Amino acid sequence: MPEGKKLVIVESPAKSRSIAKYLGENFIVDASAGHIRDLPQPSELPQDMKKGPFGKFAVDPDNGFEPYYVISDSKKSKVRELKKLLKDAEELYLATDADREGEAIAWHLFEVLKPKVPTYRLSFTEITKEAIQRAMENPREIDIDLVDAQETRRILDRLYGYEISPVLWRKVGKGLSAGRVQSVATRMVVERERERMAFVSASYWDLSGQFVTGSEETFTAKLHAVNGDRIAAGSDFDDRGQLKKNRRDVTVLHQDDAESLAESLTDSPFSVDSVEEKPYSRRPQPPFITSTLQQDAARRLRFSSRVTMQVAQRLYENGYITYMRTDSTTLSSQALNAARKQASELYGASSVPEKPRFYSRRSETAQEAHEAIRPAGDSFRTPKQVKSELSAEEFKLYELIWKRTVASQMADAKGFTASVRFTGTAQDGRTATFGASGTVITFSGFLSAYEEVAEESEKKPDDAAKDKRLPQLEEGESLTGSDIAPKGHETSPPARFTEATIVAELEKRGIGRPSTFAPTISVIMDRGYVTKRGSALVPSWTAFSVIRLLEEHFGQYVDYDFTARLEDDLDQISRGAIEREAWLQGFYFGAESGTEGLKAVVDNLGEIDARAINTLTVAEGVDVRVGRYGPYLERPDPDNPEGTPLRANIPMDLAPDELTKDKGEELFEQAQLSGRVLGTDPQTGREIVVKDGRYGPYVSEVIPEMTEEEMQAHMDAQPTEYYKNGNPKPKKKPQRPKPRTGSLLKSMSLETVTIEDALKLLSLPRVLGEDEGTEITVQNGRFGPYLKKGSDSRSLESEEQLFTVTLEEAKKIYAQPKQRGRGTAKPPLAEFGEDPTTEKTVVVKDGRFGAYVTDGETNVTVPRSVSLEQLTKEQAFSLLAEKRAKGPAKKGSAQKKSSSARRTAAKS
């Protein structure tokens, strides 16, 4: 580095390129590419430390919770590079993100690089020329309180996970994990599914019809009351299917009553009882914070939380938006002016109120008081101005942020709501009162720029009717009814969480912080605790066992209020109100007040009945057991209660709330057919059976165990394989050959499959012959029938072709060109229409390594945890978006951190 240069270190290469544009020739900007060191896995510790105080956690709980940090292998060369640059620099600027994580990265850089030149901490929430200049004019020291808060969180999560996860391994299954926030989020999903499983539906009926005024204007209305008593709606019933205690004054209309009333109202006149109009006013929503951005991006753009944050990160690093991890709804004075000016220019001066709007947040629990998420700069660029510079996902998210920001400074939407009640007398003497309501917007205000979209599960039945306009009506006016028809309804169970609604719930309860929402959802899905059905989050049976164990033996650690208090405590550490070491001491070893610490809880667990933890009763006498190879149904054999219980597989695509008693009986009946002998293979003499597996029914041949004589004869026939150096004792024994198997075709079932069908299936793969010296076979795969020629596979149109397709027909198929010069020219396994981001057609194909989703440019493998039947278009779109937005993977020379060093701050 030339003399007089100043070194600026950020955490992202993209961010370094953006910042370099605004600094002069005297500055060199480089990136650490995230954290340069972290706590290692205990197995990665130096051998002499594994039995010492750091051996369990890479943290020493008995010495002030001293952490042992290591420099990642992938970052050693980067550290050498930064040290070389720093050697010739006259000043060092640490310009990592302005939150706890960024503060910690800056501190780690300072500790590892050990600068001997003046060092400054730069803080900014957007990457624009104005923001960088302001930051350079106002450097500060590293905030050790923020560093302590991040370090406390890291140690807390290590203690929590490394103490509780091993209990899950022993009692539920290997590879499971517990986490401070992830376990609570999983509990939310499981509790919602429990509510759905316990839910009892209620039936009720109402009427709706078309009504015509004297001026022949038509509108729709619904029955409101019969003989003056309001009729029941879905909100009047509880989750047990009973009327709520405070709703005893409503009338439940049954099918017979509804049908007879509708018939009796034919040709009946109606008279308007009342007409009410009220002024309507609606305020704009505040600008985005992290949680609301994730929610709205999920609703409008169908982005997962992970994709939203990855795309937002790119927008921030390239100078398009402000920092995307924030609890604050505050806008700077420059941003307020920019939003108001743009609203006035685009939507007219009347769309902007006289004074700027300010939005309050509960500042005492906010992590760091940044600005809200908004377009970067002291003046905003419209979506049209940046469209050519951004990818499809980036543009959609930028546009969403721009609209919300501008709308937040616009005038209220105004109008009026109208409601009408009118009554008619039926031929059987009953009086029927109908009602209708609507909202009329007379001044759109902020709605010109932005209107929030509700999640489907959050919408109410009458929402659609609220936006309709009613004709002008007066009391006493006569109306004519037509097409009055009864309609039956069933109450619905509580809606499952989506990514948007669980983020909202976590925020509402104060669990997690902006930076944790997306990783938390990703973790519980990656661990297999939760899968997606459409946009809904569905828990696995393993999640039920995990949460049951945690609730029964680690209750406070999955308690919502307790977890929220942990977040509040971390916030207080970040403000210097609580001392890090004392807090960790109380959490792990217990407090002087008598509060039990995590260590004591784990040490005094006592016996945990693993069978009980993994047994979940779904109906009388029907239990779900979570076993090593997955969940299955179990119940006593009525013919032999003391003997081996009856078992049945649970299909992978069956959600827990769909496992009713009737469904359980169906699965047990199916299981009884499993193992049914179909006959004997005339060529081998082996029995052929049909079985029910987790992935569906299949046929298999029965290969008996070898007798001692057969085994000895087999070894004698191949002595070099089973004996070594003339040793008479065999080095191994023969294994029973693997039986041939074949999945049933869609046209077959456990009940109807025959020996002829089975022999056909077991004849696969079928060799058709050779083409250009390469053998062609026809096979039945997970996603249907296909041809295989070397590594080139082509799907067949029907299962019948498995047994009828000829070599000549196969050659014709292979003579067809491959699609886009890559992959195979085979029909898609599924089609999902246009991707909402790229507007390209999305299909599922069978590839060399399994099924994959593609839009013609981006390919992503279908996760093994998701069957093709389960895969929805929303999931397909989300998988592609995640692949497009996926960033580089992170990887861990050991460098111990001393207590005194931890307290050393970078000073100017």
Side-chain angles (χ1 to χ4, degrees):
M1 179 185 290
E3 187 177 351
K5 292 287 186 180
K6 302 172 183 179
L7 177 61
V8 179
I9 303 178
V10 298
E11 69 274 65
S12 155
K15 189 175 174 182
S16 69
R17 291 190 293 269
S18 298
I19 291 176
K21 294 186 298 184
Y22 304 122
L23 295 174
E25 295 180 355
N26 291 331
F27 289 86
I28 298 296
V29 185
D30 206 341
S32 67
H35 276 284
I36 58 170
R37 63 179 189 173
D38 193 9
L39 299 176
Q41 299 290 332
S43 61
E44 298 170 351
L45 288 168
Q47 197 62 38
D48 61 338
M49 294 184 65
K50 289 184 177 179
K51 294 184 179 180
F54 292 94
K56 187 173 183 179
F57 307 113
V59 172
D60 183 359
D62 298 318
N63 186 27
F65 294 90
E66 190 73 18
Y68 183 86
Y69 291 116
V70 298
I71 298 175
S72 308
D73 289 340
S74 61
K75 296 296 176 67
K76 289 178 181 178
S77 61
K78 172 55 68 175
V79 171
R80 288 195 295 268
E81 177 188 334
L82 292 175
K83 284 183 175 180
K84 184 177 180 181
L85 291 172
L86 181 60
K87 187 177 181 181
D88 298 320
E90 65 177 19
E91 290 178 352
L92 171 63
Y93 293 86
L94 301 173
T96 50
D97 290 338
D99 59 3
R100 293 179 195 165
E101 205 73 22
E103 206 73 17
I105 292 174
W107 181 83
H108 280 290
L109 285 166
F110 182 80
E111 289 294 301
V112 171
L113 298 179
K114 302 184 184 304
K116 298 178 181 179
V117 298
T119 301
Y120 307 92
R121 176 78 171 100
L122 298 184
S123 181
F124 44 84
T125 59
E126 61 180 349
I127 303 174
T128 61
K129 185 175 182 178
E130 301 92 341
I132 301 303
Q133 288 176 342
R134 285 192 286 265
M136 294 296 295
E137 292 168 0
N138 297 280
R140 62 175 176 84
E141 299 178 356
I142 290 177
D143 189 330
I144 292 300
D145 290 332
L146 285 182
V147 175
D148 277 353
Q150 189 277 339
E151 186 172 77
T152 303
R153 181 201 61 77
R154 185 71 184 92
I155 294 172
L156 163 64
D157 289 345
R158 176 59 64 96
L159 298 173
Y160 189 114
Y162 278 45
E163 284 287 18
I164 300 178
S165 295
V167 181
L168 300 181
W169 305 341
R170 295 193 299 270
K171 300 302 179 181
V172 181
K174 293 182 179 179
L176 301 176
S177 68
R180 177 176 55 92
V181 179
Q182 79 175 59
S183 295
V184 172
T186 304
R187 183 188 177 195
M188 286 181 180
V189 179
V190 168
E191 284 191 336
R192 182 59 55 87
E193 197 73 7
R194 287 172 178 165
E195 293 172 8
R196 292 174 63 87
M197 295 166 74
F199 181 80
V200 178
S201 181
S203 299
Y204 63 97
W205 286 70
D206 60 19
L207 308 179
S208 65
Q210 296 289 316
F211 296 88
V212 184
T213 67
S215 58
E216 298 187 349
E217 291 185 90
T218 303
F219 65 99
T220 303
K222 292 176 61 177
L223 182 66
H224 175 72
V226 176
N227 293 333
D229 295 327
R230 183 174 68 84
I231 64 166
S235 59
D236 295 312
F237 296 91
D238 60 24
D239 287 350
R240 306 305 301 170
Q242 304 294 319
L243 276 176
K244 296 176 180 176
K245 292 182 179 179
N246 60 346
R247 309 293 173 83
R248 299 300 182 187
D249 57 336
V250 302
T251 298
V252 179
L253 201 62
H254 299 290
Q255 183 175 358
D256 291 344
D257 296 329
E259 290 176 346
S260 63
L261 181 58
E263 186 176 348
S264 296
L265 285 170
T266 303
D267 299 327
S268 295
F270 291 85
S271 178
V272 176
D273 300 323
S274 64
V275 178
E276 290 185 4
E277 284 191 1
K278 295 180 180 179
Y280 170 87
S281 180
R282 182 177 168 190
R283 289 173 56 86
Q285 295 289 326
F288 282 130
I289 58 175
T290 304
S291 61
T292 54
L293 176 64
Q294 291 177 13
Q295 293 167 50
D296 225 35
R299 295 176 183 128
R300 290 173 176 267
L301 309 179
R302 299 300 173 192
F303 284 4
S304 68
S305 295
R306 180 190 294 178
V307 167
T308 297
M309 296 309 290
Q310 288 171 335
V311 176
Q313 179 87 32
R314 294 205 301 268
L315 289 173
Y316 164 67
E317 290 174 346
N318 288 289
Y320 289 98
I321 64 171
T322 52
Y323 193 55
M324 65 288 161
R325 295 185 180 94
T326 175
D327 290 23
S328 173
T329 54
T330 301
L331 291 176
S332 66
S333 58
Q334 295 93 336
L336 289 172
N337 292 334
R340 288 169 59 82
K341 178 182 178 183
Q342 211 149 61
S344 179
E345 291 174 347
L346 294 172
Y347 305 109
S350 62
S351 68
V352 181
E354 290 185 8
K355 295 180 180 179
R357 291 185 181 273
F358 298 94
Y359 299 89
S360 61
R361 284 284 293 166
R362 47 198 179 101
S363 58
E364 69 276 7
T365 59
Q367 181 176 314
E368 286 91 28
H370 301 313
E371 273 197 81
I373 304 170
R374 62 165 177 86
D378 291 352
S379 61
F380 299 162
R381 289 174 286 177
T382 66
K384 185 178 180 180
Q385 290 173 318
V386 301
K387 186 171 185 178
S388 62
E389 305 169 12
L390 303 176
S391 69
E393 283 112 335
E394 291 166 350
F395 172 74
K396 287 178 180 290
L397 195 63
Y398 180 84
E399 183 181 45
L400 189 64
I401 293 167
W402 179 87
K403 286 181 176 180
R404 178 89 165 214
T405 307
V406 171
S408 73
Q409 291 304 309
M410 293 175 67
D412 293 352
K414 294 187 180 295
F416 62 88
T417 59
S419 61
V420 60
R421 294 282 188 270
F422 50 93
T423 301
T425 302
Q427 294 173 12
D428 61 9
R430 284 181 287 179
T431 59
T433 301
F434 284 75
S437 61
T439 300
V440 176
I441 302 295
T442 57
F443 175 70
S444 57
F446 76 92
L447 295 177
S448 300
Y450 174 92
E451 184 170 9
E452 199 168 45
V453 175
E455 190 81 18
E456 283 298 322
S457 60
E458 300 170 328
K459 291 181 180 178
K460 298 178 181 178
D462 294 334
D463 282 353
K466 290 180 180 177
D467 293 328
K468 69 182 180 183
R469 184 162 190 163
L470 297 176
Q472 193 70 36
L473 297 169
E474 295 181 0
E475 288 187 21
E477 184 174 344
S478 296
L479 301 174
T480 303
S482 64
D483 298 327
I484 297 175
K487 187 175 182 180
H489 305 273
E490 295 280 333
T491 54
S492 301
R496 290 191 177 100
F497 285 111
T498 64
E499 289 201 33
T501 56
I502 200 169
V503 165
E505 186 67 18
L506 289 168
E507 185 197 21
K508 176 184 174 183
R509 293 179 179 270
I511 295 169
R513 285 298 181 258
S515 60
T516 65
F517 295 136
T520 295
I521 294 170
S522 295
V523 165
I524 64 176
M525 294 181 67
D526 294 343
R527 291 279 185 266
Y529 294 147
V530 172
T531 57
K532 267 189 173 182
R533 177 177 291 191
S535 61
L537 302 178
V538 182
S540 65
W541 288 109
T542 299
F544 276 78
S545 291
V546 167
I547 295 305
R548 180 176 179 180
L549 186 151
L550 294 178
E551 287 174 335
E552 293 181 6
H553 299 279
F554 297 95
Q556 73 169 335
Y557 299 101
V558 287
D559 178 79
Y560 300 131
D561 293 337
F562 175 81
T563 309
R565 286 197 298 274
L566 292 184
E567 297 289 359
D568 292 341
D569 289 348
L570 291 174
D571 290 335
Q572 291 193 62
I573 292 172
S574 73
R575 296 193 293 270
I578 295 180
E579 202 276 323
R580 157 198 174 278
E581 182 180 334
W583 187 90
L584 285 169
Q585 186 83 17
F587 173 81
Y588 188 64
F589 291 112
E592 294 181 359
S593 61
T595 304
E596 194 174 36
L598 176 60
K599 186 177 189 302
V601 172
V602 174
D603 289 346
N604 298 298
L605 279 177
E607 287 299 317
I608 297 177
D609 187 341
R611 182 177 179 85
I613 287 294
N614 291 289
T615 302
L616 309 158
T617 300
V618 295
E620 186 178 352
V622 180
D623 296 330
V624 171
R625 295 269 290 117
V626 179
R628 181 180 178 185
Y629 300 107
Y632 58 90
L633 286 176
E634 182 179 272
R635 71 178 178 191
D637 185 346
D639 298 327
N640 185 14
E642 302 301 321
T644 303
L646 301 177
R647 295 189 173 99
N649 286 309
I650 300 174
M652 292 189 66
D653 59 350
L654 189 71
D657 75 328
E658 295 170 352
L659 184 52
T660 61
K661 185 173 184 179
D662 290 342
K663 184 63 179 178
E665 291 297 333
E666 179 186 321
L667 294 174
F668 275 117
E669 289 176 10
Q670 199 168 329
Q672 288 179 352
L673 297 170
S674 184
R676 178 168 66 93
V677 178
L678 300 177
T680 303
D681 185 338
Q683 293 185 354
T684 64
R686 293 170 180 166
E687 282 188 340
I688 307 299
V689 298
V690 60
K691 293 185 176 182
D692 182 31
R694 286 188 68 202
Y695 301 100
Y698 64 98
V699 294
S700 177
E701 62 180 347
V702 179
I703 300 179
E705 294 283 353
M706 298 174 71
T707 65
E708 289 292 334
E709 292 78 9
E710 290 172 333
M711 195 177 296
Q712 188 61 54
H714 185 80
M715 291 189 293
D716 291 343
Q718 302 177 64
T720 56
E721 183 178 349
Y722 293 99
Y723 296 93
K724 185 177 181 180
N725 300 329
N727 190 334
K729 186 176 180 180
K731 60 184 179 181
K732 65 177 182 178
K733 289 192 175 183
Q735 297 295 314
R736 183 169 55 172
K738 189 176 180 180
R740 294 176 297 155
T741 61
S743 297
L744 266 59
L745 305 183
K746 293 178 182 178
S747 58
M748 301 174 181
S749 68
L750 276 168
E751 298 87 350
T752 62
V753 66
T754 65
I755 183 62
E756 291 76 19
D757 295 330
L759 292 175
K760 277 186 173 184
L761 295 172
L762 294 177
S763 71
L764 299 172
R766 184 166 64 96
V767 178
L768 299 181
E770 290 189 357
D771 181 28
E772 298 176 343
T774 303
E775 187 178 77
I776 299 179
T777 60
V778 58
Q779 307 186 32
N780 190 26
R782 181 182 175 192
F783 300 112
Y786 65 98
L787 295 170
K788 188 170 181 64
K789 176 185 174 183
S791 61
D792 191 353
S793 300
R794 307 290 178 99
S795 291
L796 294 174
E797 294 179 357
S798 66
E799 292 178 328
E800 288 74 17
Q801 289 179 286
L802 284 165
F803 312 108
T804 62
V805 68
T806 66
L807 178 60
E808 292 306 314
E809 290 171 334
K811 287 181 177 180
K812 289 180 180 179
I813 292 173
Y814 276 105
Q816 298 173 8
K818 293 183 179 181
Q819 294 181 351
R820 299 182 183 87
R822 53 181 166 138
T824 60
K826 51 191 174 182
L829 302 174
E831 298 186 22
F832 292 122
E834 287 189 356
D835 187 294
T837 300
T838 64
E839 299 180 353
K840 297 179 182 294
T841 300
V842 174
V843 299
V844 181
K845 291 187 175 182
D846 188 16
R848 182 179 179 185
F849 303 105
Y852 64 97
V853 181
T854 179
D855 64 357
E857 291 186 0
T858 303
N859 301 335
V860 58
T861 302
V862 176
R864 291 184 178 181
S865 59
V866 180
S867 69
L868 184 62
E869 293 75 21
Q870 285 178 293
L871 187 67
T872 64
K873 66 178 182 180
E874 289 82 5
Q875 266 183 297
F877 298 157
S878 179
L879 287 169
L880 287 171
E882 288 190 20
K883 181 66 177 290
R884 288 190 291 262
K886 191 176 182 181
K890 293 183 179 181
K891 261 196 160 192
S893 97
Q895 181 167 345
K896 183 177 177 181
K897 170 192 169 198
S898 67
S899 297
S900 59
R902 187 179 60 79
R903 281 288 168 186
T904 304
K907 298 180 182 294
S908 56

